[in-house]
Amino acid sequence: MDQTSPISDAPVLAPSAPVRPQLTLVEARFRLVHPAGEIPEEWRTALGALLGWVGIAAEIVPAEQPRGLKRFADWSMPGAAPLFAPWLGWSPAAFQHGGLASLPQAQFVVSYLVDHPRGAAPGLGGLDLMLMSPHPAQCIAEDAGEVPVPRAGVLAAMIRAARAQPRERLAIIVTARQRNAVATRLLAVGKGLTGTGLTIDLLTLEDALPPLMAARAPWDAVIAMPDLRSTVFTLLSHASGVRRAWPMLWFAGEGPRALRLVTSEAPGEGASRLPLYAAALIHTLALTLNAAGAGGPAARLHEAWALLRDSGVTTPGHGQSGAPYASEVADSAFVAMLCRGEAVSKRPQRPWRALQNDKNASAGSQTSHLRVISSHENITTG
């Protein structure tokens, strides 16, 4: 049954304190830090070409390994410079059962399902969804024997991240045992969720399965509990046809200044080194530039990708089978075509919400609405 009530006006935990910016862009000079070791050659070549095309003079340097830290996971600790490594693909399964020991530190992660519209009028269609999860270390059990749920502050931070882009409809997917506890958390965060009238659907994985298996989910943002992330990622990936890596960001708090790590998210187990994937590189670079304050170059990168896709060019493993594309090219060739300006289409393209920032998201008068959805029982939320 579906019951709707506005989130209460109880006080919310204050957002985490601002973190000193680590990404800087001064006079078009950009410093990009990557993990120690060589960048795979095909990624380095494509990265250099994209930076040159967008007109960013970049200094690409390896990170200095902090003294006493031997694991890559420790490099993304708060206070360390954010790392750019889209050639590293983290599996969503790595978040299960408390997370792998090597899982990078963060408060929450965000990955993006983005694809160009096929067979739709200009400005319509396409996929633009953000998939969030709290880091397993940020989920706690209130009492012995209870299931861990996200800390209230982390849950509020993810909701504010969705609202700021701005997203309109958010699903929070939980296990049946987590549902009541998460509903209580949502009611507790209260006033911090007022703003743009964001609709929040709280539902179990079982209730979410039908829309997740459809060609297009009804939400533009999803928060999946860590143990459910792999299932949700897989369903969205297969339903959309975007079965390769997604751009993935790791945050130590709220806002672009809290960005700690940029990777990809890909099927598999643990972390793996990925072959060049043009879409993942283009979109992770756009997200990183945007976080550094270079919104214009970031938007141009995404638009160039969209125009080339609109011109009938795609890469292996990206998009649904049977799509009306004229040619499928290698990822390196796609980057080269973008940089040579070979897009034929001149149609206006829909902006990517991930590169937008609704400055009025926290100042509006509308109230976000929580819908606790259950096909098994009725839950009162207010």
Side-chain angles (χ1 to χ4, degrees), residues 228-309:
L228 303 179
R229 185 175 183 89
S230 182
T231 300
V232 173
F233 175 89
T234 302
L235 290 172
L236 289 170
S237 177
H238 280 267
S240 66
V242 183
R243 303 185 182 185
R244 294 177 69 185
W246 299 6
M248 186 180 199
L249 306 184
W250 304 67
F251 288 95
E254 295 189 54
R257 293 182 178 182
L259 180 62
R260 287 290 168 266
L261 180 63
V262 178
T263 67
S264 294
E265 185 166 27
E269 298 181 8
S272 58
R273 189 171 289 256
L274 303 174
L276 175 64
Y277 182 28
L281 176 58
I282 291 166
H283 289 126
T284 52
L285 181 57
L287 290 165
T288 305
L289 287 168
N290 192 60
R300 289 199 299 275
L301 265 178
H302 174 263
E303 182 184 41
W305 169 84
L307 285 170
L308 194 54
R309 292 295 307 279

Side-chain angles (χ1 to χ4, degrees), residues 304-359:
W305 169 84
L307 285 170
L308 194 54
R309 292 295 307 279
D310 199 48
S311 301
V313 183
T314 189
T315 57
H318 193 114
Q320 296 172 339
S321 60
Y325 286 113
S327 60
E328 180 179 283
V329 302
D331 290 277
S332 58
F334 188 96
V335 172
M337 293 174 70
L338 184 154
C339 294
R340 290 195 299 264
E342 294 188 15
V344 175
S345 173
K346 305 300 180 184
R347 299 193 303 176
Q349 299 297 306
R350 173 180 286 186
W352 186 18
R353 289 189 181 188
L355 303 180
Q356 296 178 292
N357 182 23
D358 185 354
K359 297 180 179 180

